[in-house]
Amino acid sequence: MSQTLAATRNPAAADMQSGAEVLLRALKDQGVEVIFGYPGGSVLPIYDAIFKQDTIRHILVRHEQAAVHAAEGYARSTGRTGVVLVTSGPGATNAVTGLLDALMDSIPLVCLTGQVPTHLIGNDAFQEADTTGITRPATKHNYLVKKSEDLARVVHEAFYVARSGRPGPVVIDLPKDILIAKAPYQGVPEAPHRSYRPVTHPDPAQIVRAVAAMKQAKRPVVYFGGGVINAGVAASDALTRLVRKTGFPCTGTLMGLGAYPSNDPQFLGMLGMHGTYEANLVMHGCDVMLNVGARFDDRVTGRINAFSPDSTKIHVDIDPSSINKNVRVDIPIIGDAGVVLEALLAAWDADPTPSESQAVAGWWRQIAEWRGVDCLKFTQTRDRGGIIKPQYAIQRLYELTRETGRETLISTEVGQHQMWAAQYFKFDKPNQWMTSGGLGTMGYGLPAAMGVQIAHPDALVIDIAGEASILMNIQEMATLAQYRLPVKVFILNNQYMGMVRQWQELLHGGRYSESYSEALPDFVRLAEAFHGVGMRAESVDQLDDVIREMIACPKAVIADICVDQKENVYPMIPSGAAHNEMILGAGHGRHAAEITDEGLVLV
Amino acid sequence: MAAPIDSSNRSATISVLVENEAGVLARVIGLFSGRGYNIDSLTVAPVEDERGRSRINIVTSGTEMVIEQIKAQLDRLVPVHRVADLTREGPHIAREMALIKVCSTGNDRAEALRLADAFRARVVDATIGSFVFEMTGSTDKLDAFVDLMRPLGLAEVSRTGVAAIARGTRVI
Ligand SMILES: Cc1cc2nc3c(=O)[nH]c(=O)nc-3n(C[C@H](O)[C@H](O)[C@H](O)COP(=O)(O)OP(=O)(O)OC[C@H]3O[C@@H](n4cnc5c(N)ncnc54)[C@H](O)[C@@H]3O)c2cc1C
Ligand SMILES: Cc1ncc(C[n+]2csc(CCOP(=O)(O)OP(=O)(O)O)c2C)c(N)n1
Ligand SMILES: [Mg+2]
């Protein structure tokens, strides 16, 4: 009634919509198809606008943290920007862990948070939180919309910021009065952003220098990371071509897995704390290192002053703050990984200098020797009733999913199972591996898998989980049921917070303080309670059947795989140690480097 | 192999041109506290009204690697237009202003006034028992003057922090 009155009085307002409607229109113009969210008082106008349209789908999660992880899974598996909608106060604070997770792993997200009306901001109003204050260090950027005329512009800008340069999460805090008041619409701007314009095209002189160093390399390595995945599928393709053309060995970070085919002989496996023997020794001994889209994380470098001591380091990154942050490099190249890789390919061909192929062949002979150690070897008994080794469970999961020929996407929780998944599941394409690397958030995997399944309804989506982590967002089983998402939860149940137990065994004298998973639920019945299917494998002879049954099941499944409780993840570079001070597993006869107090303070 | 890391500390005066929007100062300060960088001085004020831009001047210190990191971290903030390391990008001028209250009588009072004159500090307020001096200059000069006033009845100091600009035609 009052609306019609206003419209007749002010003709300009006639074609203005409510803030909530303008918001949805902007989301549509940004190509948004799905929002992961949870309602509350301050965002009711948005929910009302969602109700009145059917272009954008809303997925109702059961906890706001899960909404963010789901959007991360959606984003990482598609290369698009994930969208989250939560209410003010507790809705926003529940989302914070997910936002920081996305920031650390460079995942593009836009998170809409409700806020109390502008005139109440600062009054400790009901469900008020200083959301922009709280999320400032957990986001790439955030906005508080205080004027209706800014709304559409801010939404478009948020998408631009989230996906450009080094991607990350962006929060838009939306006071309720802004959602209700009429607001003008404004389309996607064509003009460049006022201040944020990341460099994507590299300095050609640096490309020439890099190729000159690569041509002279006798012991080269390509070390790639999540930035290649961020740069899109074409970047992974360019990486593969460059590695093949140069004949160099390559290794990837946890976040980079899939950017180069894992089954390829030039791939040495993951590097770092739980990387392979050959990858870490190659990093230690190389004379030229080409880092593409990896950030010299402490999980990768080990003791910084012992990290790859004799190499000329080339570092390709879109974020200048990644350069010389942890490790001093010789040839920085600022730019998008895809663009830079193409430039390196072209320059490699254009430079007439022959590469040191003889020397590189010698390097490969050395690598073959290291590979001969077979650092990922494990022994699995085949006896009836034999205990399942967690490594074997992952290996069989990989082989049996591959047999189906179906597109398979994997997410993980955090812990030993995550490392075994990284070591034993092989990825031949990018965007198939969703894991929480930088923040290491237990509870990431199930909601992430949910987001992945939304984006890939026909694919096989599996969350490789630990029995402790899975309980952190188990409520999302209800979301799976509601939307009939056939996500498979594959629990490596060792009845311990295994990663904690492993550190306590190796670093704290075997005092297993609070790391036993006491009073676990019956996961089979838990699955059933959530309208899914539960199954269990207690011994090795049951494993294949359970995996096959799980894959074939059209519903959500929890497969409880009872594995060896005492198994550790090897190889392991203890914190504070150098790459050549790695511990190999039992049967390899190599033992712990002395762990120093300096090492003990590290995580 | 990269050159050996220079681990000695240096001071840097960094000017940052930012979009004059809510929260931008909190972003800059949060970056320094969150990442454990030093802030020796920080000033901020709008400088280009028509374009809505402010300038932040920060005096910080750290190893060369840390200062490079600070500049890169500032530059990646979305509302930041430009970051200039005035200490490195050629000669520059850095000035601060201070209001210095000295409460004394007799010889001390006379001495304070003489020194103020020698330092070209202006008297902006005077009572029988006090002076307020206004002084503009480099941080060092202000420090020196404040130190001299200490035994002469120094009561209170209020300083603006450093404003800095490059010499010559160079602009940020
Ligand atoms: C229990 C546990 C154990 C772990 N153990 C290991 C381990 O053994 N080995 C390991 O590798 N990791 C391990 N991690 C993960 C580790 O913590 C880091 O998350 C990971 O190493 C970082 O990967 P990254 O260097 O590829 O960087 P990411 O975090 O993926 O960052 C990407 C980099 O690429 C840049 N970038 C982004 N977009 C582009 C673009 N378009 N073009 C160019 N550059 C771009 C970014 O600026 C950034 O510098 C472990 C994590 C956990 C939880
Ligand atoms: C939210 C959160 N809390 C605590 C930790 C520390 N943490 C890392 S791994 C781990 C144990 C995980 O146990 P489980 O899920 O059973 O996996 P497992 O290591 O046994 O495979 C813990 C507690 C974390 N990474 N995230
Ligand atoms: Mg466990």
Side-chain angles (χ1 to χ4, degrees):
Chain A
M1 183 62 199
S2 60
Q3 262 185 24
T4 23
L5 275 180
T8 39
R9 262 191 239 119
N10 178 359
D15 47 62
M16 296 222 289
Q17 297 173 298
S18 74
E21 280 160 341
V22 164
L23 170 69
L24 281 188
R25 185 164 165 201
L27 296 180
K28 277 174 208 160
D29 281 358
Q30 287 291 337
V32 174
E33 290 170 353
V34 190
I35 299 176
F36 299 92
Y38 204 90
S42 68
V43 286
L44 285 180
I46 305 179
Y47 275 86
D48 205 36
I50 287 175
F51 189 84
K52 291 186 208 148
Q53 55 88 53
D54 51 15
T55 326
I56 298 182
R57 192 171 169 207
H58 180 272
I59 303 294
L60 176 67
V61 298
R62 300 302 191 264
H63 187 293
E64 289 88 350
Q65 182 191 351
V68 187
H69 294 322
E72 286 185 274
Y74 177 90
R76 189 68 166 185
S77 66
T78 58
R80 314 175 56 147
T81 301
V83 181
V84 178
L85 168 58
V86 298
T87 193
S88 66
T93 56
N94 269 351
V96 171
T97 301
L99 293 170
L100 188 57
D101 191 90
L103 183 70
M104 298 281 273
D105 285 345
S106 302
I107 312 287
L109 296 185
V110 170
C111 177
L112 310 164
T113 56
Q115 183 54 278
V116 301
T118 42
H119 68 275
L120 285 181
I121 290 179
N123 280 27
D124 297 325
F126 178 63
Q127 296 198 325
E128 176 178 1
D130 174 6
T131 301
T132 49
I134 290 170
T135 62
R136 198 170 289 125
T139 52
K140 180 173 174 185
H141 194 55
N142 61 21
Y143 301 87
L144 168 62
V145 180
K146 281 183 157 167
K147 284 188 257 150
S148 297
E149 59 265 34
D150 291 342
L151 178 61
R153 177 185 59 77
V154 165
V155 175
H156 293 310
E157 192 176 308
F159 277 86
Y160 165 77
V161 169
R163 67 167 181 263
S164 307
R166 180 185 191 159
V170 176
V171 159
I172 311 177
D173 203 21
L174 297 161
K176 193 169 182 182
D177 53 332
I178 299 289
L179 296 173
I180 292 169
K182 300 270 185 234
Y185 187 70
Q186 170 180 335
V188 182
E190 266 154 38
H193 189 271
R194 299 180 304 290
S195 52
Y196 186 67
R197 295 174 210 161
V199 172
T200 54
H201 284 67
D203 174 355
Q206 294 298 82
I207 298 288
V208 170
R209 286 182 63 205
V211 166
M214 288 161 67
K215 286 269 165 117
Q216 283 170 24
K218 296 187 164 70
R219 302 185 313 278
V221 66
V222 176
Y223 148 45
F224 62 86
V228 180
I229 313 257
N230 287 133
V233 182
S236 295
D237 181 61
L239 173 74
T240 308
R241 281 183 283 127
L242 183 70
V243 169
R244 297 222 169 113
K245 182 181 287 266
T246 55
F248 292 176
C250 70
T251 174
T253 66
L254 184 74
M255 296 309 291
L257 295 180
Y260 188 88
S262 301
N263 281 317
D264 187 279
Q266 278 176 261
F267 182 62
L268 308 179
M270 183 173 82
L271 80 164
M273 179 174 273
H274 293 298
T276 65
Y277 186 66
E278 50 272 29
N280 286 327
L281 289 190
V282 160
M283 289 293 281
H284 191 78
C286 65
D287 67 348
V288 173
M289 174 192 300
L290 171 63
N291 168 343
V292 191
R295 57 186 171 87
F296 291 111
D297 183 73
D298 52 65
R299 232 66 334 203
V300 162
T301 58
R303 180 148 49 86
I304 269 295
N305 61 8
F307 173 70
S308 193
D310 303 318
S311 57
T312 297
K313 297 178 184 73
I314 306 164
H315 187 184
V316 179
D317 204 294
I318 203 160
D319 178 357
S321 81
S322 286
I323 308 272
N324 290 335
K325 176 156 77 180
N326 305 321
V327 170
R328 194 131 197 114
V329 298
D330 306 87
I331 309 176
I333 304 178
I334 312 260
D336 173 72
V339 179
V340 173
L341 285 163
E342 291 295 352
L344 288 172
L345 277 158
W348 178 273
D349 287 339
D351 183 341
T353 322
S355 64
E356 294 282 345
S357 40
Q358 286 273 274
V360 174
W363 181 226
W364 273 112
R365 281 192 293 280
Q366 168 68 75
I367 293 169
E369 214 171 283
W370 289 330
R371 269 185 167 160
V373 167
D374 197 6
C375 67
L376 295 180
K377 183 176 65 191
F378 59 89
T379 320
Q380 171 66 61
T381 163
R382 297 302 159 83
D383 297 348
R384 236 191 141 62
I387 296 178
I388 303 168
K389 288 283 180 190
Q391 300 94 322
Y392 182 69
I394 302 290
Q395 188 182 309
R396 288 309 287 158
L397 181 70
Y398 169 63
E399 289 163 356
L400 294 174
T401 52
R402 203 175 165 88
E403 266 179 22
T404 65
R406 286 174 64 186
E407 186 183 16
T408 305
L409 297 107
I410 301 290
S411 72
T412 73
E413 306 291 338
V414 170
Q416 291 182 317
H417 61 276
Q418 177 189 25
M419 294 298 109
W420 287 315
Q423 292 173 333
Y424 296 92
F425 207 100
K426 309 283 176 205
F427 299 93
D428 45 15
K429 284 196 296 186
N431 309 98
Q432 299 194 309
W433 166 243
M434 273 48 65
T435 198
S436 169
L439 197 60
T441 312
M442 292 170 70
Y444 164 89
L446 176 56
M450 208 160 81
V452 172
Q453 188 83 74
I454 292 282
H456 307 266
D458 302 322
L460 186 55
V461 181
I462 305 172
D463 171 28
I464 297 179
E467 82 295 335
S469 296
I470 193 65
L471 291 179
M472 286 214 177
N473 270 318
I474 193 69
Q475 76 286 344
E476 297 310 316
M477 290 298 296
T479 313
L480 297 185
Q482 177 176 348
Y483 297 96
R484 297 196 167 78
L485 300 173
V487 167
K488 315 295 183 237
V489 180
F490 190 76
I491 302 179
L492 295 185
N493 187 343
N494 52 11
Q495 302 208 22
Y496 273 98
M497 298 174 193
M499 187 55 92
V500 175
R501 195 202 56 75
Q502 171 164 352
W503 281 54
Q504 289 172 332
E505 177 186 331
L506 300 176
L507 308 172
H508 294 275
R511 291 176 293 281
Y512 299 122
S513 178
E514 306 292 328
S515 55
Y516 185 66
S517 287
E518 198 76 62
L520 282 172
D522 176 339
F523 284 109
V524 172
R525 287 164 61 200
L526 186 71
E528 286 160 5
F530 279 112
H531 318 288
V533 177
M535 33 191 96
R536 177 172 294 127
E538 282 169 318
S539 57
V540 66
D541 43 288
Q542 298 169 345
L543 181 66
D544 280 12
D545 287 345
V546 166
I547 294 175
R548 287 209 175 88
E549 214 183 309
M550 175 186 89
I551 295 173
C553 181
K555 295 173 78 172
V557 174
I558 297 182
D560 185 19
I561 312 296
C562 307
V563 298
D564 189 344
Q565 300 187 8
K566 292 285 149 62
E567 195 61 41
N568 286 335
V569 182
Y570 291 119
M572 175 174 181
I573 301 174
S575 32
H579 277 178
N580 56 352
E581 298 169 335
M582 195 178 330
I583 316 175
L584 292 176
H588 284 288
R590 279 232 186 181
H591 285 290
E594 199 60 28
I595 290 158
T596 59
D597 278 356
E598 294 95 89
L600 213 53
V601 301
L602 302 173
V603 287
Chain B
M1 279 147 286
I5 297 159
D6 177 6
S7 58
S8 60
N9 275 3
R10 73 158 170 113
S11 170
T13 302
I14 298 172
S15 281
V16 193
L17 202 58
V18 300
E19 195 72 13
N20 192 6
E21 64 182 36
V24 63
L25 187 59
R27 263 176 234 292
V28 169
I29 292 173
L31 187 137
F32 276 74
S33 64
R35 294 185 183 266
Y37 305 141
N38 301 318
I39 301 184
D40 297 327
S41 154
L42 185 144
T43 59
V44 57
V47 288
E48 291 178 24
D49 264 350
E50 70 289 359
R51 284 204 288 179
R53 291 181 182 187
S54 288
R55 181 176 180 129
I56 300 177
N57 298 295
I58 306 165
V59 182
T60 181
S61 56
T63 61
E64 196 55 48
M65 213 162 146
V66 167
I67 287 169
E68 287 307 312
Q69 224 354 253
I70 290 174
K71 290 191 283 183
Q73 292 290 351
L74 285 167
D75 208 24
R76 76 208 273 263
L77 295 178
V78 170
V80 165
H81 287 280
R82 211 175 112 59
V83 177
D85 181 353
L86 294 176
T87 318
R88 273 296 139 91
E89 293 173 14
H92 72 283
I93 300 162
R95 290 285 182 274
E96 38 174 333
M97 199 265 271
L99 296 173
I100 300 142
K101 182 174 289 185
V102 178
C103 299
S104 50
T105 52
N107 264 353
D108 283 357
R109 181 173 164 86
E111 181 64 9
L113 194 60
R114 260 190 326 109
L115 284 167
D117 197 40
F119 273 76
R120 297 187 207 295
R122 289 202 306 140
V123 176
V124 289
D125 179 67
T127 65
I128 295 178
S130 69
F131 284 122
V132 175
F133 299 118
E134 177 201 306
M135 184 166 158
T136 303
S138 69
T139 298
D140 285 351
K141 182 177 167 189
L142 265 55
D143 287 347
F145 183 70
V146 168
D147 276 347
L148 284 174
M149 289 301 112
R150 224 173 283 283
L152 302 176
L154 179 73
E156 191 178 341
V157 182
S158 178
R159 290 168 72 149
T160 57
V162 172
I165 204 159
R167 286 185 184 273
T169 52
R170 218 154 33 86
V171 295
I172 187 169

